[in-house]
Amino acid sequence: MAVSSGQNRVFLFLQGPHGPFFNGLAKMLRRSGAKVWRVGFNAGDRVFWPDCNSYIPYTDARENWPDRFTSLVDEKQATDVVLYGDVRAIHAQAIEIAKKKNIRIHVFEEGYLRPYWVTYERNGSNGNSRLMDMTIPEMKKALEGSDADTPLPPGHWGDMRQHVFYGALYHWFVMFANRTYRNFRSHRDLSVAKEFRLYLRRLLLMPAHAIERRIATRRIKNGGFPYHLVLLQLEHDSSFQQHSPFNTMTEFLDLVITNFAQHAPGHHHLVFKAHPLEDGRVPVRLELDRLAKAHGIRDRVHYVRGGKLARLLAETRSAVTVNSTAAQQVLWRGIPLKIFGKAVYSQPEFISDQPLSEFFSGATRPDNRAYKTYRRFLLETSQVAGGFYSARGRRQLMRHVVDMMLSPEDPYDALKSGTAAPRQQLRLVN
């Protein structure tokens, strides 16, 4: 791949993942010759951007943001906009304006194949990704010029503790040092103070939750019953809010439990796997107990907090989710999958089109060869090895993503044209 220079490029950063990733990314872009600016909306944004000369605080009301963003890109002669997540209001408005001005839009998101990769795309992610309009035959054709082996995930690599720590630290600064940003309003419905308390509580309870998770998993593994796995999401997550048919998590829970109670074999059980960042803002466990009791299946419904999926996936009969990226692990193992809502992996070759009632009584298996094509396509394009939160993950990510940002082509077009850079194979750690 011909590596492009950052000369004559001006990058305007908006909000990023909690922690120092955006600052490190900016430093490397400057080394390439580019100019970099950062717009901050609260004290949490400010603390992770130590270069005050390139920092632009936005302290005005939210309704004035589109006009301010328009003036900023004109004033700085921005050629590129960089952001994390594309549906929060300030980002969605910025993307709409940037597209009209033909400004490149770099979107970071948690990995579609998380936790060992992150997502880098142009213009949109998740339900707004270009993947939504691609077919498996198109992906297979794009891969014809590549003979790289599909990398395996490492045995041990993750940064959940760092993720929770930086989230708590970010919200601490927003809560206690936000005097300059009196007009700031979080894109979440919850107040910043409540967000901070939930992050802190999650951090402090991680050891206890780990013990509880191991006990629950052992009971399921030793239970000797067939079971179906339900992969839960965070109700406040953008994928659930913007790209699903449900307004609340309770609506999804009710649909699943009702169909399971009425149509699954009487000796089958149902296991609900919580999102690793579930913090209790929605009383999922209480709702599950209430619904299971109402349908007379309380002894067949189980709840497991966070943690890794591998142990539960090893013996599950099928899996159900709204549009969780954890479903990629289900498909990788060839397990039948039923989803609701829009998801980048929603391909007819490997997603069940059965009604939920039929799915629980006899799910059809996915086309595993088609999924392997899809997964390999992602790993050759938008999935970049590394992570946002741990130092090791950021180093790994930076080795590839800066060149991808400087490339004139987005990752999908680069693969088609044969200009995509070879990806480093992940080193397995035992």
Side-chain angles (χ1 to χ4, degrees):
M1 180 183 76
V3 179
S4 301
S5 167
Q7 295 292 334
N8 303 317
R9 300 280 289 271
V10 180
F11 289 82
L12 183 63
F13 280 58
L14 303 185
Q15 288 195 296
H18 300 148
F21 170 67
F22 260 18
N23 181 55
L25 180 62
K27 287 180 179 179
M28 191 166 288
L29 285 169
R30 290 191 188 101
R31 294 190 194 111
S32 77
K35 293 182 180 179
V36 179
W37 299 91
R38 169 72 188 271
V39 181
F41 298 84
N42 57 54
D45 293 339
R46 178 68 185 90
V47 75
F48 290 116
W49 192 271
D51 180 21
C52 60
N53 293 323
S54 62
Y55 182 78
I56 305 168
Y58 181 76
T59 59
D60 206 348
R62 181 183 292 181
E63 56 267 25
N64 297 328
W65 165 243
D67 289 340
R68 178 57 176 147
F69 176 76
T70 301
S71 65
L72 269 178
V73 295
D74 291 341
E75 172 191 330
K76 304 301 182 185
Q77 297 183 310
T79 59
D80 301 76
V81 172
V82 186
L83 47 85
Y84 169 77
D86 63 347
V87 297
R88 65 183 71 178
I90 56 174
H91 287 174
Q93 292 165 340
I95 288 172
E96 183 180 359
I97 295 167
K99 285 181 177 179
K100 291 177 181 177
K101 291 178 170 290
N102 294 317
I103 294 173
R104 296 180 192 87
I105 303 161
H106 306 270
V107 181
F108 285 92
E109 186 55 272
E110 302 296 335
Y112 297 147
L113 300 176
R114 72 182 71 171
Y116 310 117
W117 291 271
V118 306
T119 297
Y120 166 73
E121 295 182 279
R122 303 273 177 95
N123 297 324
S125 64
N126 290 311
N128 298 319
S129 168
R130 286 184 61 186
L131 289 169
M132 300 300 298
D133 299 318
M134 295 184 192
T135 65
I136 297 299
E138 289 172 340
M139 295 178 188
K140 190 172 183 179
K141 183 173 178 59
L143 287 166
E144 288 177 353
S146 172
D147 59 358
D149 293 331
T150 301
L152 295 172
H156 299 284
W157 178 8
D159 50 12
M160 183 55 66
R161 286 184 178 84
Q162 292 93 330
H163 189 164
V164 175
F165 169 76
Y166 282 127
L169 185 61
Y170 177 92
H171 285 92
W172 187 92
F173 278 101
V174 176
M175 189 165 63
F176 294 111
N178 219 42
R179 182 175 298 178
T180 304
Y181 304 88
R182 295 188 182 278
N183 288 308
F184 172 72
R185 298 292 180 272
S186 172
H187 63 287
R188 310 282 196 205
D189 292 333
L190 226 55
S191 70
V192 172
K194 288 182 178 179
E195 286 267 8
F196 170 73
R197 287 197 293 270
L198 288 170
Y199 267 104
L200 184 60
R201 180 176 180 271
R202 177 82 178 94
L203 192 64
L204 295 175
L205 289 177
M206 285 181 83
H209 287 171
I211 295 172
E212 180 186 335
R213 178 173 63 250
R214 284 195 290 270
I215 293 172
T217 302
R218 189 177 298 117
R219 285 174 178 168
I220 295 165
K221 296 288 289 183
N222 296 336
F225 45 75
Y227 62 87
H228 305 264
L229 190 61
V230 184
L231 305 175
L232 297 177
Q233 289 157 271
L234 301 174
E235 185 181 273
H236 60 272
D237 185 81
S238 60
S239 291
F240 187 92
Q241 290 293 324
Q242 302 293 328
H243 304 304
S244 90
F246 305 106
N247 294 315
T248 67
M249 184 60 68
T250 299
E251 292 179 11
F252 173 62
L253 301 178
D254 189 13
L255 176 69
V256 172
I257 287 181
T258 299
N259 277 274
F260 178 82
Q262 294 176 357
H263 301 286
H267 61 292
H268 283 207
H269 287 227
L270 192 60
V271 177
F272 288 84
K273 170 70 166 55
H275 189 281
L277 290 174
E278 180 59 59
D279 54 19
R281 72 183 65 190
V282 175
V284 173
R285 193 166 194 170
L286 291 176
E287 286 296 282
L288 283 176
D289 286 343
R290 178 182 67 81
L291 292 167
K293 185 177 180 180
H295 286 277
I297 58 169
R298 195 173 184 182
D299 60 332
R300 296 165 58 200
V301 173
H302 309 264
Y303 177 81
V304 180
R305 291 185 182 274
K308 294 184 178 180
L309 271 174
R311 290 186 178 181
L312 293 173
L313 286 175
E315 298 183 59
T316 187
R317 299 293 298 273
S318 69
V320 179
T321 188
V322 177
N323 48 19
S324 170
T325 56
Q328 302 268 8
Q329 297 184 50
V330 176
L331 292 168
W332 187 26
R333 290 166 172 81
I335 299 168
L337 176 67
K338 175 70 179 177
I339 72 166
F340 296 88
K342 297 169 65 178
V344 293
Y345 53 80
S346 183
Q347 297 286 348
E349 287 87 348
F350 44 77
I351 298 297
S352 176
D353 62 356
Q354 297 171 279
L356 199 54
S357 56
E358 294 181 13
F359 185 79
F360 280 133
S361 60
T364 55
R365 294 184 63 179
D367 182 344
N368 196 242
R369 288 173 297 182
Y371 178 70
K372 287 179 179 178
T373 296
Y374 168 84
R375 187 173 184 274
R376 184 180 160 211
F377 180 81
L378 259 61
L379 290 170
E380 291 269 358
T381 54
S382 62
Q383 302 305 288
V384 191
F388 296 126
Y389 307 104
S390 70
R392 179 172 56 171
R394 293 194 300 273
R395 288 195 299 268
Q396 181 82 11
L397 178 56
M398 216 74 76
R399 291 189 177 101
H400 289 279
V401 79
V402 175
D403 285 350
M404 294 173 71
M405 295 174 71
L406 294 174
S407 171
E409 295 179 300
D410 83 352
Y412 304 120
D413 290 334
L415 179 63
K416 291 179 183 178
S417 65
T419 62
R423 298 299 179 83
Q424 179 179 352
Q425 301 290 306
L426 290 177
R427 181 167 58 105
L428 295 180
V429 180
N430 295 320

